[in-house]
Amino acid sequence: AKRNSSGRQQSPAAQKKTPTRRRLPHDDEVVAGGVGITGGGVVILPQHVLNELYHNYSIKQRRSGLKWFVFAALLFNAWAICIPWEQEWPTRVVHCAMLVAYLALTAVLHIGRHSDQPALRRFHQSLLTIVPRVLWYLAMMHFAAYTMLQPTVSPRDLLGWGILLNFLIYVTLPVPLISLGLIIGFCTYFNCLSMPVGFSRSDPMLSDQAAANAVLIITAALIGLLYYFMGEAKQKRAFLEAKKSLEVKMVIEEQSAEQERLLLSVLPKHVAIKMREDLGSSSSEAFKKIYMSRHENVSILYADIVGFTAISSTYSAQDLVKMLNELFARFDRLAEKYQQLRIKILGDCYYCISGAPDERPDHAVLCVHMGLSMVKAIKYVQQKANSPVDMRVGIHTGAVLAGILGQRQWQFDVYSKDVELANKMESSGKAGRVHISDKTLAFLNGEFEVEPAFGEKREELLRIAGLKTFFIKKVLKPFSSPCAKKINETKVENANHSTNNTNNENNDGDADATLDDEELLAESAVTNERPPLEDEEEQLKLENFKQRLKDELVTRDGHENLTKDTNIFLRFKNPQLEQAYAIYREPYSSLPLLAALLVQCIDVLYSYLVLPRSTLHFINIAAPLVPIAMLVVISIAESFTGMLPKFFVDVSKRFNDITFVRELAAIIIALTIGLSNVVDMFFFVTFVRTEHIVSESEFNATTSGLEANAEHLLPVSFVEQMRNAVPTERVLYPSYLSNFAVLILIAIAVIAQLTHLTKILLLLSIAALHCYFNIFIMQDLYALEDNLAHQPIISTRYCTSGLLLVAALALSTLARHMDHEDRVIFKWKTEVAEQKETANDMRQRNEALVYNVLPVHVAEHFMKNTKRSHDDLYSQSYAEVGVLFASMPNFSDFYSEETVNNQGLECLRFLNEVISDFDALLELPQFQDIIKIKTIGSTYMAASGINLQRNLRNDASITERWSHLAVLVEFALELKRALQGINEQSFNHFVLKMGINHGPITAGVIGARKPHYDIWGNTVNVASRMESTGKAGAIQVTEETCNILQQFGYTFLQRGLVAVKGKGQLMTYYLQGKAQPCADAGPPVETHGAATEAVTVTETETPAHSLECQELEADIKTPLLKSKAPDSKAENGVEPLGNGNVAVGGGDATGEGQALLE
């Protein structure tokens, strides 16, 4: 395949029919244009279809977060019921009703979830759309009800929940952002901001608190939107990657299907499957793998075209090949109908078998029906060529060894004595008749009337085998296949003539069988002429792709399927997969760190409104900004390749490539913003309790009843100090530090560099630290805030600490969900990659097999041009080609079917070793331009110069133009050395007899349904004659070939004039070797002693050599034992098509068509 990769080319017909809407995507192709991507894939789906698919996919994935919204709402509900315990019972009833409503909605979601009833499933899908909106509405109602039912409320009471809620709606609710998400977000923001302010008691700092609330809530919403867009980008990448992978996979599957079809059209399924399994596997066996099996009770059919030589001179080589292709395509359709396995096409000879590889009792009956149909099908050629051509068919039944020899250019073939006898049955038959042996007759079950043929009197080998032969005279029992029955039944139903049709079938079975065959051929012709419905095919492909993409992405539930691959800590059970996940990072995954930087900046703004404006406070806020900003910038710089200097981006990439470093940086950022707020709480206390700072403090002392309410809670000295030291303009609200901590927890929860375990540890630790400060360090300040808010029964420090724990628990579960979601996407990507790799592996295996059956450029023509008619002709003409034939003339004596040889299998195993070693030579770099054409029994055929991309100058020298011919000679010499090595190892004495010729040839495929690649032309025929008329151990060439090879330093021995049937007298030479380079040396040719005489095979050779020539003049169609009489074809007045496979008669034949036949 490597050798031919540079020569791939499609014929013009193939190029015209190439599909325009399917193409392989490139890895570097960037998909642009949002969700409805149409330019980066193989199948171009409409924009609205892609939008719909992605919308469904995105909503499906976000639904898994809905349960964490419910969990957070339930935690808040529990807080609302338990913490403010002095609230009245109607308020508690409302909270309990809300709790029941949350649980009921959660239960409703499971109705019809796993039901098989379509109605329930549709109801469940409707619930999935309605329930998220109802849950949001319920949360808003609960927030409003709590605000309105409290006897007194301040803007700070539900600020922590409002911050968390505004974050959660973007992260957990499965609603589209543009159409509904922004509306829900605005309503949530407005509700959480306006309700507490609107129902709050009168407070001089109400506007400042409202502004601070607005800043904190909008920050939470912005972080929620940031995470929404980050999650949307991840899902979109996963969608597009899966779409692209599916496109590639579908193309691979389509190619694999075409390869599979092509492969199974050449090789039987069981052989192809076994070869694919063994492909790439190393074997420790002493012998190379042989795919050969013995089958008993197999009927073998040989068919030859009689009189084809007479019309060949009126056609060009291309037209002749086209005519044969059309004829053999008809034969292939008949073979499908009659369950025949076509073996090979040799020239104008067609042979097939029945009963192998699948045994069947009616093998002989089907073979006879096939032969009769072939005789009728030849009428096509009679009409087209206006010539009295006919078919001669021979059938014999026996045992065969069926399989493949060698490692390259595989062709399924059959070998045995019975195969040879079947060949003789054809050659000793008569035109227009089906000639069967008595072995076949024994399996016909009286379904045919026969008459004696006396073929054993015309063929010696049949007589020696003790066979009696017969001609089929009449069909007694018509053939009826299931397909034919269905056609007939349809016609009967449509025409309402069932009675007449039945009578016709019963009265004239033979005519009915003919009608079936003619209908089959006519329907095939109509099918071939009918233009392909490309629009319908493309529409089907689009629908298929849409459905598969939906199945691939929308209907799968990876959140549930991940459970089997992970443990309780969400770590992959596969260590390699866990390590890969730790190293892997999504594009732009560092951007959520901006939330930490934003939160630290917002600390400055909101604290200016509601916290003391001390220098120490602002130093504490501003100091962490510098290290946080540095770490954030260096982490996210790689996401802005085009906006930042390359050096800075490279440093950022190296920084993030180290897993430990990027995780450590994220931990430092999280701890910095968390501990900064804790330190600020400590400074708050210091500000109040240090006398110097107290003098700078500003409190609002205008609240009525301060002394009455506060004196029993605070020390008298502290109350007096407050009353005397605090101005009347401003007060302090330490609960804002806890509410701001909720924002800090949100910023930590969205950090993508950390695992959920690390984030949960940070969230709970920071929340616990804040709760400790609230309850034990800042109790005095919270007591003052309680008195200002008229809530002396339960301290605000417990309420805010409870809300902080609610937020920490809700965000901890959400952090686990985020990690789970990331792992699901990562797992999908690995699965998609594995699926694509599996499909690609299958394609490569099929490709390797297909390219071992057909040359690369030919295989691509059949695989890529999927819309061609299966009977389209593929052919190429080459002007300068070298052709080699190499045979082992004494292998026929070696072959025997005795038990000791396992009925001939061991002999073929040895032949497989020889051919495999010959094939191995083609892997050598110096022989990359040589193509193996085929093997015929023990004859090896190869060619050079078949390269579609050979570009030579018009004035190129002979040595440039024919350098490949010299390589072919070197290959022939290597074949001799390889066989000699085998002889030494096996103690045998096999020799090669070789012939080489050069010139123009026609290469192409006959039988496109079952492609058979071959080369034809006078060049091939003469090369075959050089081998058949040569002598063992020698390489014989013509004078023209000799003259060219002498330019490369080869020496030759002149043999003399050799009589070659169909060519007359040709001067030939034996290759002696290669001389040492010598400047201005003449052509190194030695003259044989009888050079002046006309030399014929029978006059100049020894008896032993004469026997060899008789043997090699035999019909090369015989797979192993080439013992057919040289003139048997001439005796019957017909010559087979010549492609180096058969002997040719008619010495005065000329012209291109005649050369093709030869």
Side-chain angles (χ1 to χ4, degrees):
K2 293 179 182 177
R3 184 172 66 253
N4 291 307
S5 60
S6 61
R8 301 180 183 180
Q9 179 175 325
Q10 284 185 313
S11 65
Q15 294 170 356
K16 289 179 183 177
K17 294 186 179 182
T18 301
T20 57
R21 292 176 65 90
R22 294 186 70 80
R23 61 186 180 89
L24 276 169
H26 299 288
D27 292 337
D28 56 351
E29 207 165 351
V30 178
V31 179
V35 179
I37 308 305
T38 60
V42 179
V43 180
I44 303 177
L45 286 176
Q47 185 84 12
H48 70 277
V49 174
L50 274 178
N51 283 334
E52 180 185 356
L53 285 174
Y54 176 71
H55 171 77
N56 294 335
Y57 163 76
S58 178
I59 295 298
K60 166 74 175 179
Q61 301 312 313
R62 297 192 63 193
R63 282 180 188 141
S64 60
L66 186 62
K67 56 180 173 287
W68 305 118
F69 179 86
V70 175
F71 180 72
L74 291 175
L75 287 177
F76 171 71
N77 210 293
W79 175 87
I81 293 173
C82 300
I83 298 299
W85 57 64
E86 95 299 3
Q87 58 190 335
E88 299 180 0
W89 68 267
T91 305
R92 293 185 185 276
V93 169
V94 171
H95 294 323
C96 290
M98 290 294 180
L99 180 63
V100 172
Y102 282 127
L103 295 175
L105 282 175
T106 305
V108 166
L109 271 179
H110 290 78
I111 296 177
R113 183 179 182 184
H114 300 292
S115 175
D116 295 331
Q117 300 180 15
L120 282 177
R121 292 191 66 83
R122 286 194 297 270
F123 179 69
H124 177 68
Q125 291 299 321
S126 302
L127 288 176
L128 291 176
T129 304
I130 297 172
V131 169
R133 294 157 174 78
V134 175
L135 282 172
W136 169 79
Y137 185 70
L138 196 63
M140 292 298 98
M141 287 182 59
H142 193 193
F143 189 94
Y146 181 91
T147 304
M148 292 185 292
L149 292 175
Q150 293 299 320
T152 178
V153 69
S154 73
R156 306 175 301 279
D157 290 349
L158 293 180
L159 179 58
W161 174 241
I163 291 172
L164 182 61
L165 190 60
N166 275 269
F167 169 74
L168 289 177
I169 59 170
Y170 296 107
V171 177
T172 59
L173 288 184
V175 293
L177 178 67
I178 302 301
S179 60
L180 193 60
L182 291 179
I183 297 175
I184 289 177
F186 176 78
C187 293
T188 305
Y189 177 76
F190 181 78
N191 188 43
C192 294
L193 184 62
S194 61
M195 290 295 294
V197 173
F199 287 88
S200 178
R201 64 179 177 81
S202 176
D203 193 328
M205 288 190 63
L206 190 61
S207 59
D208 293 327
Q209 293 180 69
N213 290 4
V215 170
L216 295 177
I217 294 175
I218 195 68
T219 303
L222 288 175
I223 296 175
L225 283 171
L226 173 65
Y227 187 82
Y228 175 89
F229 286 117
M230 289 294 299
E232 193 77 358
K234 282 191 295 187
Q235 297 292 357
K236 189 176 294 185
R237 280 193 298 272
F239 176 84
L240 294 178
E241 286 175 4
K243 172 181 174 289
K244 186 175 180 180
S245 294
L246 181 60
E247 290 167 348
V248 174
K249 191 166 70 172
M250 286 183 68
V251 170
I252 291 174
E253 288 176 359
E254 185 176 315
Q255 291 177 346
S256 295
E258 189 66 17
Q259 290 168 353
E260 187 85 358
R261 185 204 65 78
L262 188 60
L263 189 62
L264 295 181
S265 70
V266 179
L267 303 177
K269 187 174 182 179
H270 71 285
V271 177
I273 292 174
K274 183 63 177 172
M275 297 182 82
R276 188 190 295 120
E277 290 174 353
D278 294 341
L279 196 66
S281 63
S282 58
S283 176
S284 58
E285 297 179 5
F287 293 97
K288 296 179 177 65
K289 187 78 173 181
I290 182 171
Y291 301 92
M292 193 73 61
S293 57
R294 184 175 177 84
H295 303 273
E296 304 287 342
N297 298 326
V298 176
S299 292
I300 309 120
L301 180 149
Y302 269 81
D304 207 348
I305 303 176
V306 179
F308 204 75
T309 304
I311 65 171
S312 62
S313 59
T314 60
Y315 289 91
S316 67
Q318 298 275 2
D319 291 339
L320 204 58
V321 171
K322 182 176 182 181
M323 185 183 297
L324 282 176
N325 180 73
E326 292 173 355
L327 177 63
F328 289 145
R330 291 169 179 259
F331 289 169
D332 285 343
R333 287 192 290 271
L334 290 172
E336 291 177 6
K337 175 182 177 181
Y338 295 113
Q339 304 296 309
Q340 305 290 304
L341 178 62
R342 191 251 273 171
I343 302 301
K344 271 187 181 179
I345 297 171
L346 297 176
D348 60 348
C349 176
Y350 185 102
Y351 70 101
C352 57
I353 62 171
S354 180
D358 299 323
E359 297 181 3
R360 52 186 310 139
D362 58 346
H363 55 86
V365 174
L366 292 173
C367 244
V368 172
H369 279 298
M370 174 73 180
L372 293 171
S373 299
M374 293 175 79
V375 171
K376 294 164 186 171
I378 198 65
K379 294 177 183 178
Y380 156 77
V381 179
Q382 293 177 358
Q383 296 170 358
K384 186 163 186 175
N386 194 23
S387 176
V389 295
D390 213 332
M391 291 299 297
R392 186 173 56 211
V393 179
I395 302 175
H396 175 62
T397 301
V400 299
L401 288 166
I404 292 169
L405 295 179
Q407 306 298 314
R408 277 174 169 264
Q409 298 304 112
W410 291 313
Q411 290 180 345
F412 189 75
D413 211 339
V414 289
Y415 310 85
S416 73
K417 299 281 188 180
D418 288 315
V419 174
E420 179 189 0
L421 291 173
N423 188 16
K424 298 307 177 185
M425 289 296 299
E426 175 267 316
S427 63
S428 61
K430 291 184 179 180
R433 303 299 299 272
V434 176
H435 191 204
I436 66 171
S437 68
D438 54 355
K439 302 291 186 183
T440 303
L441 181 62
F443 288 92
L444 294 183
N445 304 322
E447 295 189 18
F448 301 90
E449 184 179 336
V450 299
E451 61 183 4
F454 305 107
E456 66 275 11
K457 295 181 180 180
R458 296 185 296 273
E459 177 58 57
E460 181 68 15
L461 198 62
L462 299 180
R463 185 188 63 80
I464 296 173
L467 295 180
K468 301 294 182 182
T469 68
F470 302 88
F471 287 130
I472 298 295
K473 186 177 180 180
K474 185 179 180 181
V475 179
L476 300 178
K477 184 178 179 181
F479 170 79
S480 183
S481 68
C483 179
K485 286 181 180 178
K486 186 175 181 180
I487 293 173
N488 289 334
E489 289 172 2
T490 304
K491 291 185 177 181
V492 167
E493 183 179 346
N494 293 338
N496 293 322
H497 294 308
S498 59
T499 304
N500 295 335
N501 285 349
T502 304
N503 292 335
N504 289 339
E505 289 175 9
N506 293 333
N507 293 336
D508 193 357
D510 190 32
D512 182 67
T514 304
L515 181 63
D516 287 346
D517 292 336
E518 290 176 354
E519 285 176 354
L520 178 66
L521 299 178
E523 288 173 3
S524 299
V526 170
T527 302
N528 292 338
E529 293 173 3
R530 187 181 303 153
L533 302 177
E534 294 188 9
D535 293 338
E536 292 183 8
E537 290 180 6
E538 292 301 330
Q539 189 63 32
L540 288 175
K541 287 176 182 176
L542 291 177
E543 290 299 325
N544 178 40
F545 178 79
K546 177 183 174 182
Q547 186 59 43
R548 289 190 60 177
L549 188 61
K550 184 178 179 181
D551 294 340
E552 190 83 12
L553 295 172
V554 179
T555 60
R556 66 181 178 180
D557 193 348
H559 292 276
E560 293 184 0
N561 296 336
L562 190 67
T563 307
K564 63 184 180 182
D565 297 316
T566 56
N567 56 24
I568 192 174
F569 300 109
L570 274 188
R571 293 180 62 85
F572 288 112
K573 296 176 182 177
N574 186 340
Q576 289 80 14
L577 195 60
E578 179 64 31
Q579 185 178 5
Y581 176 73
I583 297 173
Y584 173 78
R585 64 181 189 277
E586 282 278 345
Y588 306 103
S589 60
S590 301
L591 288 184
L593 290 175
L594 288 172
L597 184 61
L598 176 64
V599 166
Q600 193 65 24
C601 293
I602 290 300
D603 195 0
V604 178
L605 180 59
Y606 100 91
S607 62
Y608 179 82
L609 298 171
V610 292
L611 293 181
R613 302 171 184 173
S614 67
T615 305
L616 194 58
H617 166 69
F618 285 107
I619 290 176
N620 175 61
I621 296 174
L625 276 175
V626 177
I628 291 175
M630 290 177 60
L631 289 175
V632 170
V633 170
I634 199 172
S635 296
I636 68 173
E638 67 171 353
S639 301
F640 302 94
T641 307
M643 302 172 61
L644 296 174
K646 185 177 182 300
F647 170 78
F648 198 61
V649 172
D650 291 340
V651 171
S652 176
K653 287 181 179 178
R654 287 195 292 270
F655 179 87
N656 288 312
D657 284 340
I658 305 173
T659 306
F660 172 75
V661 171
R662 70 169 185 264
E663 289 181 354
L664 182 62
I667 292 173
I668 291 173
I669 292 173
L671 288 175
T672 302
I673 59 174
L675 295 179
S676 172
N677 199 52
V678 172
V679 172
D680 209 19
M681 296 172 78
F682 178 77
F683 286 162
F684 201 138
V685 176
T686 305
F687 173 80
V688 173
R689 293 188 175 181
T690 302
E691 185 176 345
H692 172 69
I693 298 178
V694 167
S695 65
E696 298 175 1
S697 302
E698 301 173 351
F699 290 91
N700 187 357
T702 61
T703 306
S704 61
L706 173 63
E707 183 177 352
N709 293 328
E711 284 182 352
H712 70 279
L713 296 173
L714 300 175
V716 176
S717 59
F718 184 73
V719 174
E720 290 296 330
Q721 187 181 9
M722 293 286 189
R723 184 179 291 112
N724 297 329
V726 177
T728 60
E729 292 85 10
R730 295 189 179 277
V731 295
L732 300 175
Y733 300 113
S735 60
Y736 269 102
L737 290 170
S738 274
N739 291 325
F740 180 70
V742 175
L743 203 58
I744 292 174
L745 297 182
I746 291 174
I748 294 174
V750 299
I751 295 176
Q753 284 86 342
L754 302 177
T755 66
H756 75 283
L757 293 175
T758 306
K759 286 194 278 190
I760 289 174
L761 182 62
L762 288 171
L763 290 171
L764 295 180
S765 300
I766 291 174
L769 197 59
H770 278 79
C771 290
Y772 175 80
F773 266 74
N774 286 341
I775 296 172
F776 298 106
I777 306 298
M778 303 179 66
Q779 70 272 26
D780 295 340
L781 298 181
Y782 274 108
L784 177 61
E785 185 173 344
D786 289 341
N787 285 280
L788 296 176
H790 299 280
Q791 293 179 350
I793 304 301
I794 181 169
S795 176
T796 305
R797 56 182 172 162
Y798 294 112
C799 292
T800 55
S801 298
L803 267 181
L804 194 58
L805 288 178
V806 166
L809 290 175
L811 291 172
S812 296
T813 56
L814 187 63
R816 180 182 171 85
H817 165 70
M818 292 174 176
D819 194 8
H820 191 281
E821 193 174 51
D822 289 342
R823 287 175 182 270
V824 166
I825 293 177
F826 176 76
K827 186 70 166 56
W828 282 347
K829 288 184 177 182
T830 58
E831 288 175 352
V832 166
E834 289 172 359
Q835 291 172 0
K836 190 167 71 171
E837 184 178 349
T838 301
N840 195 43
D841 179 66
M842 177 63 72
R843 181 185 66 169
Q844 290 176 352
R845 288 175 178 270
N846 279 350
E847 196 173 72
L849 292 177
V850 170
Y851 289 164
N852 242 342
V853 173
L854 298 171
V856 174
H857 59 284
V858 180
E860 288 188 342
H861 166 76
F862 285 98
M863 288 187 294
K864 289 184 178 180
N865 193 14
T866 57
K867 291 188 177 180
R868 63 175 170 78
S869 165
H870 283 296
D871 299 326
D872 283 351
L873 178 68
Y874 174 85
S875 63
Q876 285 282 348
S877 295
Y878 301 90
E880 298 174 346
V881 173
V883 181
L884 163 70
F885 279 83
S887 68
M888 292 193 298
N890 51 346
F891 182 77
S892 58
D893 298 330
F894 173 77
Y895 179 81
S896 69
E897 294 184 357
E898 297 176 358
T899 305
V900 69
N901 287 323
N902 198 7
Q903 284 80 40
L905 182 60
E906 298 308 316
C907 298
L908 292 182
R909 192 184 303 278
F910 177 81
L911 182 60
N912 182 63
E913 289 293 308
V914 174
I915 295 175
S916 297
D917 283 359
F918 289 174
D919 291 341
L921 295 176
L922 296 174
E923 298 291 343
L924 299 177
Q926 62 266 34
F927 300 135
Q928 292 297 299
D929 287 332
I930 295 175
I931 294 178
K932 175 187 175 182
I933 303 300
K934 61 185 174 183
T935 56
I936 312 152
S938 62
T939 300
Y940 194 92
M941 180 181 177
S944 65
I946 302 180
N947 189 338
L948 294 175
Q949 293 186 348
R950 287 186 70 220
N951 295 317
L952 295 174
R953 305 187 314 273
N954 293 330
D955 58 346
S957 63
I958 291 179
T959 53
E960 287 183 70
R961 290 166 48 201
W962 292 103
S963 58
H964 64 84
L965 186 61
V967 174
L968 186 63
V969 172
E970 290 299 322
F971 178 70
L973 297 175
E974 283 297 326
L975 293 182
K976 292 177 66 175
R977 284 190 278 269
L979 185 59
Q980 183 60 33
I982 294 174
N983 284 335
E984 293 174 359
Q985 295 176 7
S986 61
F987 305 103
N988 282 307
H989 301 86
F990 292 105
V991 291
L992 283 179
K993 184 167 61 169
M994 292 183 278
I996 295 177
N997 192 30
H998 75 282
I1001 60 103
T1002 297
V1005 172
I1006 279 187
R1009 283 177 176 265
K1010 291 175 154 308
H1012 171 79
Y1013 182 77
D1014 213 337
I1015 58 177
W1016 301 271
N1018 181 64
T1019 302
V1020 181
N1021 176 68
V1022 173
S1024 175
R1025 300 303 157 253
M1026 289 300 98
E1027 176 266 324
S1028 63
T1029 61
K1031 68 178 180 180
I1035 302 175
Q1036 184 174 221
V1037 300
T1038 62
E1039 186 173 14
E1040 293 80 6
T1041 305
C1042 172
N1043 292 335
I1044 292 177
L1045 291 176
Q1046 285 173 1
Q1047 303 292 324
F1048 295 93
Y1050 292 100
T1051 60
F1052 293 86
L1053 172 66
Q1054 187 183 48
R1055 178 186 179 185
L1057 293 174
V1058 174
V1060 177
K1061 291 185 349 182
K1063 293 291 136 187
Q1065 303 291 329
L1066 294 181
M1067 181 64 70
T1068 65
Y1069 297 82
Y1070 288 132
L1071 178 69
Q1072 295 290 93
K1074 194 168 186 178
Q1076 295 296 328
C1078 181
D1080 301 327
V1085 178
E1086 297 181 18
T1087 303
H1088 191 276
T1092 58
E1093 301 180 18
V1095 182
T1096 63
V1097 173
T1098 58
E1099 293 174 351
T1100 60
E1101 302 296 339
T1102 64
H1105 193 201
S1106 177
L1107 181 61
E1108 288 178 5
C1109 291
Q1110 289 177 8
E1111 185 179 293
L1112 289 163
E1113 283 289 336
D1115 191 348
I1116 204 168
K1117 291 182 295 183
T1118 306
L1120 279 176
L1121 308 180
K1122 299 179 289 182
S1123 57
K1124 188 174 181 179
D1127 298 326
S1128 61
K1129 290 286 179 183
E1131 290 174 3
N1132 291 281
V1134 60
E1135 298 299 335
L1137 174 65
N1139 57 352
N1141 300 320
V1142 277
V1144 177
D1148 57 347
T1150 58
E1152 184 181 8
Q1154 179 61 34
L1156 176 67
L1157 289 179
E1158 292 164 350

